[in-house]
Amino acid sequence: MFELLKTDTTSKARMGRFRTPHGTVETPVFMPVGTQASVKALDSRELLEMGTQIILGNTYHLHIRPGMEIIRAAGGLHQFMNWTAPILTDSGGFQVFSLAKIRKIKPHGVEFRSHLDGSPLFLGPKEAMEIQCTLGSDIAMVFDECPPHDCTPKAAEEAVERTMRWAAECREQPRAPGQSVFGIVQGGVHGKLRERCAKALVGMGFDGYAIGGVSVGEPEHEMMEAVELTEPFLPADQPRYAMGLGTPAQLVELVARGVDMFDCVLPTRVARNGTAFTSKGTISIKGGAVKADFGPIEEGCSCFACRNFTRAYVRHLLNVNEILGLRLLSVHNSHMYIDLMRQIRRHIAEGTFGEFRKQYAATYVPSQKILDARVKRALKVEDRG
Ligand SMILES: [Zn+2]
């Protein structure tokens, strides 16, 4: 299903192609997060127009609302939300361990209470795969345990043990027609654990492999380390997915470390705070500085918002709480991420990724506020993929 088309000569960056029942995905790829069967503030027409190839949906949230009875009656998640391109679904493991009040970890899953109304629920490998089968996603993820980044080595080891056992169980469950299943490598920043987990999962034979246990409040160097410790043990001819990451500059660096797939809530989340991503860093579109700025959100950007509206207008909309302001900024930010991946693919194809990477790192000014927001929010996640 995955075809490795080209590998960069200056780094581990790769270009590939992944076939799914709803179409082919060119990698490296960014997947906008559609937690509640919606990429916040964007409709499917806008997503397709900006070049979105695949989106992410969440098992945990969709299981709670609207529930699988409705999804089944609708004919699956694609039909329900009118999204015709591929969908990857998270298994719910991350949300169970970060959002819900856990009552008991059992051999075959977790007893917990819904974060919404406290009702008792159970999610394990069997349930997570059953839900993803009903959702009919193109790529399903195994049910894993994602511990906090500062957990004890013993807790990290237990999480790896459970993750491996549960992955084996997930492997045996029925799937939707043509559905791929990806394993998730845990193990924090412990090299031995990462290696053990990766080798065990590869031995089971999944269609792709995710690097989990990142985007859980860890500092950037630990995020990079987790990826570097895992990547050598993943097969070159299968896709690799880093879950829940990151800023544009981090994505370039993660591609350089051999990652093919990404999802992140940052583009739509920071839009809600009036912040725009640009290729040089973030800028505020809410402040007085752009009050009479009649240029686009980002000079040279080809998104719908930048082609048609000015900073001054978007700022005005944001300041009077008009929904359109938030929508336009979400269009720009999501387009920015999608377009970054398009540029990366082109540079890998043309053999200029090394130059591009150097230039990006030199011109992109990371915002501490954004990095902090990513970390803080990760600790009380609502909608990470
Ligand atoms: Zn734009």
Side-chain angles (χ1 to χ4, degrees), residues 188-189 194 211 213-215 218-230 242-247 250-251 254 257 371 374-375:
V189 285
R194 286 271 172 196
I211 299 160
V214 285
S215 193
E218 77 285 358
E220 185 179 277
H221 70 92
E222 281 189 21
M223 168 215 295
M224 295 295 172
E225 202 182 334
V227 171
E228 288 162 10
L229 289 172
T230 310
M243 303 180 83
L245 303 177
T247 66
Q250 287 170 343
L251 296 202
L254 290 164
R257 285 163 173 77
L371 293 173
R374 193 185 72 80
V375 168

Side-chain angles (χ1 to χ4, degrees), residues 269-281:
R269 178 177 295 157
V270 307
R272 300 201 286 280
N273 304 327
T275 301
F277 275 111
T278 77
S279 55
K280 295 187 178 65

Side-chain angles (χ1 to χ4, degrees), residues 155-171:
E157 185 169 358
E158 282 169 5
V160 162
E161 290 297 334
R162 260 193 288 271
T163 292
M164 295 190 302
R165 216 173 49 238
W166 287 348
E169 264 186 78
C170 287
R171 183 85 182 71

